[in-house]
Short mmCIF file of all heavy atoms in Angstrom, two decimals:
data_model
loop_
_atom_site.label_atom_id
_atom_site.label_comp_id
_atom_site.label_asym_id
_atom_site.label_seq_id
_atom_site.Cartn_x
_atom_site.Cartn_y
_atom_site.Cartn_z
N THR Q 28 47.15 -36.70 -37.58
CA THR Q 28 46.32 -37.90 -37.37
C THR Q 28 44.84 -37.59 -37.57
O THR Q 28 43.99 -38.24 -36.98
CB THR Q 28 46.55 -38.47 -35.96
OG1 THR Q 28 46.26 -37.46 -34.99
CG2 THR Q 28 47.96 -38.98 -35.82
N PHE Q 29 44.55 -36.59 -38.38
CA PHE Q 29 43.15 -36.18 -38.59
C PHE Q 29 42.30 -37.35 -39.04
O PHE Q 29 41.14 -37.48 -38.63
CB PHE Q 29 43.11 -35.07 -39.64
CG PHE Q 29 41.72 -34.61 -39.98
CD1 PHE Q 29 41.01 -33.81 -39.12
CD2 PHE Q 29 41.14 -34.96 -41.19
CE1 PHE Q 29 39.73 -33.37 -39.43
CE2 PHE Q 29 39.86 -34.53 -41.52
CZ PHE Q 29 39.16 -33.74 -40.64
N ASN Q 30 42.84 -38.25 -39.86
CA ASN Q 30 42.02 -39.33 -40.39
C ASN Q 30 41.77 -40.44 -39.37
O ASN Q 30 41.15 -41.45 -39.69
CB ASN Q 30 42.61 -39.91 -41.68
CG ASN Q 30 43.98 -40.53 -41.44
OD1 ASN Q 30 44.46 -40.58 -40.31
ND2 ASN Q 30 44.61 -41.01 -42.49
N SER Q 31 42.23 -40.26 -38.14
CA SER Q 31 41.91 -41.23 -37.09
C SER Q 31 40.75 -40.75 -36.22
O SER Q 31 40.34 -41.46 -35.30
CB SER Q 31 43.12 -41.49 -36.21
OG SER Q 31 43.46 -40.35 -35.46
N TYR Q 32 40.21 -39.55 -36.50
CA TYR Q 32 39.17 -38.99 -35.67
C TYR Q 32 37.81 -39.05 -36.32
O TYR Q 32 37.66 -38.80 -37.52
CB TYR Q 32 39.45 -37.52 -35.38
CG TYR Q 32 40.75 -37.24 -34.68
CD1 TYR Q 32 41.62 -36.28 -35.18
CD2 TYR Q 32 41.11 -37.91 -33.52
CE1 TYR Q 32 42.81 -36.00 -34.55
CE2 TYR Q 32 42.31 -37.64 -32.89
CZ TYR Q 32 43.16 -36.68 -33.40
OH TYR Q 32 44.35 -36.43 -32.76
N THR Q 33 36.80 -39.35 -35.51
CA THR Q 33 35.43 -39.03 -35.90
C THR Q 33 35.27 -37.53 -35.67
O THR Q 33 35.76 -36.99 -34.68
CB THR Q 33 34.43 -39.82 -35.05
OG1 THR Q 33 34.34 -41.16 -35.53
CG2 THR Q 33 33.05 -39.19 -35.08
N MET Q 34 34.58 -36.86 -36.58
CA MET Q 34 34.37 -35.42 -36.47
C MET Q 34 32.88 -35.12 -36.36
O MET Q 34 32.04 -35.79 -36.97
CB MET Q 34 34.94 -34.71 -37.70
CG MET Q 34 36.43 -34.92 -37.89
SD MET Q 34 37.41 -34.25 -36.53
CE MET Q 34 37.03 -32.49 -36.66
N GLY Q 35 32.57 -34.09 -35.58
CA GLY Q 35 31.18 -33.73 -35.41
C GLY Q 35 30.97 -32.23 -35.43
O GLY Q 35 31.91 -31.45 -35.24
N TRP Q 36 29.75 -31.86 -35.72
CA TRP Q 36 29.29 -30.47 -35.62
C TRP Q 36 28.18 -30.40 -34.58
O TRP Q 36 27.26 -31.24 -34.58
CB TRP Q 36 28.76 -29.96 -36.96
CG TRP Q 36 29.82 -29.67 -37.99
CD1 TRP Q 36 30.22 -30.48 -39.00
CD2 TRP Q 36 30.59 -28.47 -38.10
NE1 TRP Q 36 31.21 -29.86 -39.72
CE2 TRP Q 36 31.45 -28.63 -39.21
CE3 TRP Q 36 30.64 -27.27 -37.37
CZ2 TRP Q 36 32.35 -27.64 -39.60
CZ3 TRP Q 36 31.54 -26.30 -37.78
CH2 TRP Q 36 32.38 -26.48 -38.87
N PHE Q 37 28.27 -29.39 -33.74
CA PHE Q 37 27.26 -29.13 -32.73
C PHE Q 37 26.89 -27.67 -32.82
O PHE Q 37 27.60 -26.87 -33.45
CB PHE Q 37 27.79 -29.45 -31.32
CG PHE Q 37 28.06 -30.91 -31.10
CD1 PHE Q 37 29.19 -31.52 -31.60
CD2 PHE Q 37 27.16 -31.68 -30.37
CE1 PHE Q 37 29.43 -32.87 -31.40
CE2 PHE Q 37 27.38 -33.03 -30.15
CZ PHE Q 37 28.52 -33.62 -30.67
N ARG Q 38 25.78 -27.28 -32.21
CA ARG Q 38 25.39 -25.88 -32.22
C ARG Q 38 24.75 -25.50 -30.90
O ARG Q 38 24.18 -26.36 -30.20
CB ARG Q 38 24.46 -25.56 -33.38
CG ARG Q 38 23.10 -26.22 -33.29
CD ARG Q 38 22.31 -25.97 -34.58
NE ARG Q 38 20.96 -26.55 -34.52
CZ ARG Q 38 20.13 -26.58 -35.55
NH1 ARG Q 38 20.48 -26.06 -36.72
NH2 ARG Q 38 18.92 -27.11 -35.41
N GLN Q 39 24.84 -24.21 -30.59
CA GLN Q 39 24.23 -23.71 -29.37
C GLN Q 39 23.56 -22.37 -29.66
O GLN Q 39 24.24 -21.42 -30.04
CB GLN Q 39 25.25 -23.56 -28.25
CG GLN Q 39 24.64 -23.20 -26.92
CD GLN Q 39 25.62 -23.34 -25.77
OE1 GLN Q 39 26.84 -23.33 -25.97
NE2 GLN Q 39 25.11 -23.48 -24.56
N ALA Q 40 22.25 -22.35 -29.48
CA ALA Q 40 21.48 -21.13 -29.67
C ALA Q 40 21.41 -20.38 -28.34
O ALA Q 40 21.57 -20.99 -27.27
CB ALA Q 40 20.08 -21.47 -30.16
N PRO Q 41 21.16 -19.08 -28.37
CA PRO Q 41 21.08 -18.31 -27.13
C PRO Q 41 20.05 -18.88 -26.18
O PRO Q 41 18.92 -19.16 -26.56
CB PRO Q 41 20.66 -16.92 -27.62
CG PRO Q 41 21.15 -16.85 -29.02
CD PRO Q 41 21.00 -18.24 -29.57
N GLY Q 42 20.47 -19.09 -24.93
CA GLY Q 42 19.56 -19.59 -23.91
C GLY Q 42 19.26 -21.07 -23.99
O GLY Q 42 18.42 -21.57 -23.24
N LYS Q 43 19.94 -21.77 -24.90
CA LYS Q 43 19.68 -23.20 -25.06
C LYS Q 43 20.96 -23.99 -24.84
O LYS Q 43 22.06 -23.46 -24.92
CB LYS Q 43 19.11 -23.49 -26.44
CG LYS Q 43 17.74 -22.89 -26.68
CD LYS Q 43 17.16 -23.36 -27.99
CE LYS Q 43 15.76 -22.82 -28.21
NZ LYS Q 43 15.16 -23.30 -29.49
N GLU Q 44 20.79 -25.29 -24.60
CA GLU Q 44 21.93 -26.16 -24.45
C GLU Q 44 22.53 -26.48 -25.82
O GLU Q 44 21.84 -26.43 -26.85
CB GLU Q 44 21.54 -27.45 -23.74
CG GLU Q 44 21.12 -27.24 -22.29
CD GLU Q 44 20.89 -28.55 -21.56
OE1 GLU Q 44 20.90 -29.60 -22.21
OE2 GLU Q 44 20.70 -28.50 -20.34
N ARG Q 45 23.80 -26.85 -25.80
CA ARG Q 45 24.44 -27.25 -27.04
C ARG Q 45 23.80 -28.56 -27.53
O ARG Q 45 23.49 -29.45 -26.73
CB ARG Q 45 25.93 -27.45 -26.80
CG ARG Q 45 26.74 -27.70 -28.04
CD ARG Q 45 28.21 -27.48 -27.78
NE ARG Q 45 28.74 -28.29 -26.72
CZ ARG Q 45 29.94 -28.14 -26.18
NH1 ARG Q 45 30.74 -27.18 -26.61
NH2 ARG Q 45 30.35 -28.93 -25.21
N GLU Q 46 23.60 -28.67 -28.84
CA GLU Q 46 22.96 -29.84 -29.40
C GLU Q 46 23.74 -30.38 -30.59
O GLU Q 46 24.45 -29.66 -31.29
CB GLU Q 46 21.52 -29.52 -29.83
CG GLU Q 46 21.41 -28.53 -30.96
CD GLU Q 46 19.98 -28.33 -31.44
OE1 GLU Q 46 19.04 -28.93 -30.86
OE2 GLU Q 46 19.79 -27.58 -32.40
N PHE Q 47 23.57 -31.67 -30.80
CA PHE Q 47 24.22 -32.36 -31.92
C PHE Q 47 23.61 -31.93 -33.24
O PHE Q 47 22.38 -31.74 -33.35
CB PHE Q 47 24.05 -33.87 -31.72
CG PHE Q 47 24.43 -34.69 -32.90
CD1 PHE Q 47 25.76 -34.91 -33.21
CD2 PHE Q 47 23.46 -35.26 -33.72
CE1 PHE Q 47 26.13 -35.69 -34.31
CE2 PHE Q 47 23.81 -36.03 -34.82
CZ PHE Q 47 25.14 -36.24 -35.10
N VAL Q 48 24.45 -31.80 -34.26
CA VAL Q 48 23.98 -31.47 -35.60
C VAL Q 48 24.30 -32.61 -36.57
O VAL Q 48 23.42 -33.15 -37.23
CB VAL Q 48 24.62 -30.16 -36.11
CG1 VAL Q 48 24.21 -29.90 -37.56
CG2 VAL Q 48 24.23 -29.00 -35.22
N ALA Q 49 25.59 -32.98 -36.66
CA ALA Q 49 25.99 -34.00 -37.61
C ALA Q 49 27.34 -34.57 -37.21
O ALA Q 49 28.12 -33.91 -36.51
CB ALA Q 49 26.07 -33.43 -39.03
N ALA Q 50 27.62 -35.80 -37.66
CA ALA Q 50 28.91 -36.43 -37.38
C ALA Q 50 29.31 -37.29 -38.56
O ALA Q 50 28.45 -37.76 -39.32
CB ALA Q 50 28.84 -37.26 -36.10
N ILE Q 51 30.61 -37.54 -38.67
CA ILE Q 51 31.14 -38.34 -39.78
C ILE Q 51 32.32 -39.15 -39.25
O ILE Q 51 33.15 -38.64 -38.50
CB ILE Q 51 31.55 -37.41 -40.94
CG1 ILE Q 51 31.94 -38.21 -42.17
CG2 ILE Q 51 32.66 -36.45 -40.53
CD1 ILE Q 51 32.04 -37.34 -43.45
N ASN Q 52 32.38 -40.42 -39.64
CA ASN Q 52 33.47 -41.24 -39.14
C ASN Q 52 34.74 -40.96 -39.94
O ASN Q 52 34.76 -40.15 -40.86
CB ASN Q 52 33.10 -42.72 -39.14
CG ASN Q 52 33.21 -43.36 -40.51
OD1 ASN Q 52 33.02 -42.70 -41.53
ND2 ASN Q 52 33.53 -44.63 -40.54
N TRP Q 53 35.81 -41.67 -39.60
CA TRP Q 53 37.11 -41.33 -40.16
C TRP Q 53 37.18 -41.45 -41.67
O TRP Q 53 37.86 -40.66 -42.33
CB TRP Q 53 38.18 -42.22 -39.54
CG TRP Q 53 38.15 -43.64 -40.07
CD1 TRP Q 53 37.35 -44.66 -39.64
CD2 TRP Q 53 38.93 -44.15 -41.15
NE1 TRP Q 53 37.60 -45.78 -40.38
CE2 TRP Q 53 38.55 -45.51 -41.32
CE3 TRP Q 53 39.89 -43.60 -41.99
CZ2 TRP Q 53 39.13 -46.31 -42.30
CZ3 TRP Q 53 40.46 -44.41 -42.97
CH2 TRP Q 53 40.07 -45.74 -43.11
N SER Q 54 36.45 -42.40 -42.24
CA SER Q 54 36.53 -42.63 -43.68
C SER Q 54 35.53 -41.79 -44.46
O SER Q 54 35.63 -41.68 -45.68
CB SER Q 54 36.27 -44.10 -43.99
OG SER Q 54 34.92 -44.44 -43.70
N GLY Q 55 34.54 -41.24 -43.76
CA GLY Q 55 33.48 -40.51 -44.44
C GLY Q 55 32.34 -41.38 -44.89
O GLY Q 55 31.35 -40.86 -45.43
N ARG Q 56 32.44 -42.67 -44.69
CA ARG Q 56 31.40 -43.58 -45.17
C ARG Q 56 30.19 -43.65 -44.24
O ARG Q 56 29.11 -44.07 -44.65
CB ARG Q 56 31.98 -44.98 -45.35
CG ARG Q 56 33.01 -45.08 -46.46
CD ARG Q 56 33.28 -46.52 -46.83
NE ARG Q 56 34.26 -46.61 -47.91
CZ ARG Q 56 35.53 -46.94 -47.71
NH1 ARG Q 56 35.96 -47.22 -46.50
NH2 ARG Q 56 36.36 -46.99 -48.74
N ILE Q 57 30.38 -43.25 -43.00
CA ILE Q 57 29.28 -43.28 -42.04
C ILE Q 57 29.01 -41.87 -41.53
O ILE Q 57 29.92 -41.18 -41.07
CB ILE Q 57 29.61 -44.20 -40.86
CG1 ILE Q 57 29.82 -45.64 -41.34
CG2 ILE Q 57 28.50 -44.16 -39.80
CD1 ILE Q 57 30.28 -46.59 -40.26
N THR Q 58 27.78 -41.45 -41.67
CA THR Q 58 27.36 -40.13 -41.20
C THR Q 58 26.10 -40.26 -40.37
O THR Q 58 25.36 -41.25 -40.46
CB THR Q 58 27.10 -39.17 -42.37
OG1 THR Q 58 26.08 -39.71 -43.21
CG2 THR Q 58 28.36 -38.91 -43.18
N GLN Q 59 25.86 -39.26 -39.56
CA GLN Q 59 24.66 -39.22 -38.74
C GLN Q 59 24.22 -37.76 -38.63
O GLN Q 59 25.07 -36.87 -38.56
CB GLN Q 59 24.92 -39.82 -37.36
CG GLN Q 59 23.69 -39.93 -36.50
CD GLN Q 59 23.88 -40.70 -35.21
OE1 GLN Q 59 22.96 -40.87 -34.44
NE2 GLN Q 59 25.10 -41.15 -34.94
N TYR Q 60 22.90 -37.57 -38.61
CA TYR Q 60 22.36 -36.22 -38.56
C TYR Q 60 21.25 -36.12 -37.50
O TYR Q 60 20.52 -37.08 -37.26
CB TYR Q 60 21.76 -35.83 -39.92
CG TYR Q 60 22.75 -35.75 -41.03
CD1 TYR Q 60 23.01 -36.85 -41.84
CD2 TYR Q 60 23.45 -34.57 -41.28
CE1 TYR Q 60 23.95 -36.80 -42.86
CE2 TYR Q 60 24.37 -34.50 -42.31
CZ TYR Q 60 24.62 -35.61 -43.08
OH TYR Q 60 25.55 -35.54 -44.10
N ALA Q 61 21.13 -34.93 -36.95
CA ALA Q 61 19.96 -34.64 -36.11
C ALA Q 61 18.73 -34.60 -37.01
O ALA Q 61 18.82 -34.20 -38.18
CB ALA Q 61 20.15 -33.31 -35.40
N ASP Q 62 17.61 -34.99 -36.48
CA ASP Q 62 16.36 -35.00 -37.26
C ASP Q 62 16.05 -33.62 -37.82
O ASP Q 62 15.51 -33.49 -38.93
CB ASP Q 62 15.20 -35.51 -36.42
CG ASP Q 62 15.27 -36.99 -36.15
OD1 ASP Q 62 16.03 -37.70 -36.86
OD2 ASP Q 62 14.59 -37.46 -35.22
N SER Q 63 16.40 -32.59 -37.08
CA SER Q 63 16.04 -31.23 -37.46
C SER Q 63 16.80 -30.73 -38.70
O SER Q 63 16.40 -29.75 -39.32
CB SER Q 63 16.30 -30.27 -36.31
OG SER Q 63 17.67 -30.32 -35.92
N VAL Q 64 17.88 -31.41 -39.07
CA VAL Q 64 18.68 -30.95 -40.21
C VAL Q 64 18.75 -31.97 -41.34
O VAL Q 64 19.32 -31.68 -42.41
CB VAL Q 64 20.11 -30.57 -39.78
CG1 VAL Q 64 20.09 -29.56 -38.63
CG2 VAL Q 64 20.93 -31.79 -39.41
N LYS Q 65 18.19 -33.14 -41.14
CA LYS Q 65 18.23 -34.18 -42.18
C LYS Q 65 17.61 -33.67 -43.47
O LYS Q 65 16.54 -33.06 -43.46
CB LYS Q 65 17.47 -35.43 -41.71
CG LYS Q 65 18.27 -36.35 -40.82
CD LYS Q 65 17.47 -37.57 -40.42
CE LYS Q 65 18.27 -38.44 -39.48
NZ LYS Q 65 17.46 -39.60 -38.97
N GLY Q 66 18.30 -33.94 -44.58
CA GLY Q 66 17.80 -33.50 -45.87
C GLY Q 66 18.19 -32.07 -46.23
O GLY Q 66 18.02 -31.66 -47.38
N ARG Q 67 18.70 -31.32 -45.27
CA ARG Q 67 19.11 -29.93 -45.53
C ARG Q 67 20.62 -29.73 -45.36
O ARG Q 67 21.21 -28.94 -46.08
CB ARG Q 67 18.38 -28.98 -44.59
CG ARG Q 67 16.86 -29.01 -44.71
CD ARG Q 67 16.22 -27.90 -43.89
NE ARG Q 67 16.49 -28.01 -42.45
CZ ARG Q 67 17.07 -27.08 -41.72
NH1 ARG Q 67 17.47 -25.95 -42.27
NH2 ARG Q 67 17.26 -27.27 -40.41
N PHE Q 68 21.21 -30.43 -44.40
CA PHE Q 68 22.64 -30.28 -44.11
C PHE Q 68 23.38 -31.53 -44.58
O PHE Q 68 22.85 -32.64 -44.51
CB PHE Q 68 22.87 -30.12 -42.62
CG PHE Q 68 22.40 -28.82 -42.01
CD1 PHE Q 68 21.61 -27.92 -42.73
CD2 PHE Q 68 22.76 -28.47 -40.72
CE1 PHE Q 68 21.18 -26.73 -42.18
CE2 PHE Q 68 22.36 -27.29 -40.14
CZ PHE Q 68 21.55 -26.41 -40.88
N THR Q 69 24.63 -31.32 -44.99
CA THR Q 69 25.50 -32.44 -45.39
C THR Q 69 26.87 -32.25 -44.77
O THR Q 69 27.50 -31.20 -44.95
CB THR Q 69 25.62 -32.51 -46.92
OG1 THR Q 69 24.33 -32.66 -47.51
CG2 THR Q 69 26.49 -33.71 -47.32
N ILE Q 70 27.31 -33.27 -44.07
CA ILE Q 70 28.67 -33.25 -43.51
C ILE Q 70 29.59 -34.04 -44.42
O ILE Q 70 29.21 -35.07 -44.96
CB ILE Q 70 28.68 -33.82 -42.07
CG1 ILE Q 70 30.04 -33.60 -41.41
CG2 ILE Q 70 28.27 -35.29 -42.05
CD1 ILE Q 70 30.06 -33.93 -39.92
N SER Q 71 30.80 -33.56 -44.58
CA SER Q 71 31.80 -34.25 -45.41
C SER Q 71 33.18 -33.93 -44.86
O SER Q 71 33.33 -33.05 -44.00
CB SER Q 71 31.68 -33.83 -46.87
OG SER Q 71 31.93 -32.44 -47.01
#
Side-chain angles (χ1 to χ4, degrees):
T28 57
F29 178 75
N30 63 3
S31 68
Y32 301 130
T33 281
M34 300 298 296
W36 286 98
F37 293 78
R38 67 186 182 186
Q39 187 168 21
K43 295 187 177 181
E44 293 187 352
R45 187 163 57 190
E46 65 175 3
F47 169 76
V48 175
I51 188 167
N52 80 329
W53 74 276
S54 67
R56 293 195 179 103
I57 298 174
T58 58
Q59 186 171 181
Y60 296 92
D62 288 343
S63 59
V64 307
K65 278 181 183 175
R67 300 188 298 122
F68 290 11
T69 302
I70 189 171
S71 62

